[in-house]
Amino acid sequence: MRLNRAHIRDLARQRIERLFAFANQAVKSDPGLANRYVELALRISMRTRVRIPRELKRSVCRECKAYLYPGITSRVRVRAKRSPHVSVTCLNCGAVRRYLLDRD
Ligand SMILES: [Zn+2]
């Protein structure tokens, strides 16, 4: 069977989702292993040019690529100052990401 590009990207998408699911399971007992899964997912994403869904992308530190899990590898706070936002701090490298809360 011939593997065309669409098929390859479809496989990549499935594999990326599975790697993130693995990371999610591994993070509590072995954050290093979770980071490894994320690293593989990012590599597949780049090689096949498959985008990582927004929710999953937010679970990766932009700076050090660690898998972020609230309470374990990241600190999540809701802040009311300035425009209301959620701040996510990577406990591995200390990088902070802010996500605005849209009011509706
Ligand atoms: Zn980090």
Side-chain angles (χ1 to χ4, degrees), residues 60-66 68 73 89-95:
V60 181
C61 174
R62 293 275 288 214
E63 297 298 323
C64 71
K65 312 298 177 203
L68 300 179
T73 55
T89 308
C90 170
L91 299 182
N92 186 44
C93 75

Side-chain angles (χ1 to χ4, degrees), residues 48-89:
T48 57
R49 296 213 234 138
V50 167
R51 274 179 178 278
I52 293 178
R54 189 163 87 154
E55 326 83 69
L56 296 183
K57 208 164 204 175
R58 286 186 173 187
S59 63
V60 181
C61 174
R62 293 275 288 214
E63 297 298 323
C64 71
K65 312 298 177 203
Y67 182 67
L68 300 179
Y69 191 93
I72 299 180
T73 55
S74 75
R75 180 170 59 229
V76 179
R77 295 289 182 266
V78 179
R79 310 241 190 235
K81 286 183 179 170
R82 289 179 275 157
S83 0
H85 61 279
V86 175
S87 75
V88 178
T89 308

Side-chain angles (χ1 to χ4, degrees), residues 1-13:
M1 190 183 72
R2 206 172 74 93
L3 285 179
N4 59 30
R5 191 171 300 173
H7 190 185
I8 288 174
R9 297 184 83 216
D10 192 51
L11 287 175
R13 221 162 279 139

